[in-house]
Amino acid sequence: MDEGTVLIGMVARFHPVKDYGTFLTAARAILETHPRVRFLLCGEGMEKAALTRMIAAYGLQSSVLRLGYRADVAGRVVPPRNAAALAAAARELIDLTPSEMKSLRVRARQRMCEHFTLQSTIAQYAELYENIARS
């Protein structure tokens, strides 16, 4: 890969509920307009033969890199099972200027720190358990 290559990733274990098909459909669509983009798959199960077959079925063998489990990622969220929304969000990110990208990184980091801390996760589970106990 050269310096101008854009990477788009999906962080999720390889499991039907994670809907890799939508991601690969969006990847195929993105390549039609942005052929230098490459796609990273991060999560458990990246070595599975079923995933290899899916990637081949979409013709993405030379465009997909499988990294396995990673704990150091952040990214954009789109509605489930909506390849068009995923492709549109990826294109939007690809076309950002360096200044816009820097601003997005700062905002994303701030959001992660505010909403996805260990304390907030514990509080959400505590609330869930209390609701279950009440019902």
Side-chain angles (χ1 to χ4, degrees), residues 54-130:
M54 283 182 75
I55 291 167
Y58 286 90
L60 296 170
Q61 301 92 317
S62 63
S63 301
V64 172
L65 303 164
R66 295 184 274 180
L67 301 182
Y69 177 78
R70 299 288 302 207
D72 59 347
V73 294
R76 186 162 288 213
V77 178
V78 296
R81 304 200 187 293
N82 190 332
L86 181 56
R91 286 184 180 117
E92 178 186 316
L93 292 171
I94 292 166
D95 293 333
L96 290 177
T97 67
S99 173
E100 291 169 328
M101 181 58 79
K102 182 177 181 180
S103 176
L104 177 65
R105 284 185 191 124
V106 169
R107 290 192 319 271
R109 174 82 175 144
Q110 182 179 11
R111 182 176 181 271
M112 293 295 288
C113 290
E114 290 174 5
H115 298 284
F116 300 102
T117 64
L118 180 57
Q119 288 89 358
S120 69
T121 302
I122 291 169
Q124 290 174 27
Y125 273 109
E127 183 180 344
L128 172 67
Y129 294 145
E130 288 174 14

Side-chain angles (χ1 to χ4, degrees), residues 14-71:
F14 181 64
H15 186 276
V17 74
K18 299 301 181 179
D19 192 21
Y20 269 79
T22 296
F23 181 82
L24 297 174
T25 298
R28 184 81 255 150
I30 292 164
L31 285 174
E32 292 175 11
T33 56
H34 295 81
R36 293 177 49 183
V37 173
R38 295 297 172 259
F39 304 90
L40 303 175
L41 302 180
C42 305
E44 295 177 16
M46 295 298 107
E47 74 288 347
K48 293 191 176 183
L51 180 56
T52 301
R53 287 190 298 272
M54 283 182 75
I55 291 167
Y58 286 90
L60 296 170
Q61 301 92 317
S62 63
S63 301
V64 172
L65 303 164
R66 295 184 274 180
L67 301 182
Y69 177 78
R70 299 288 302 207

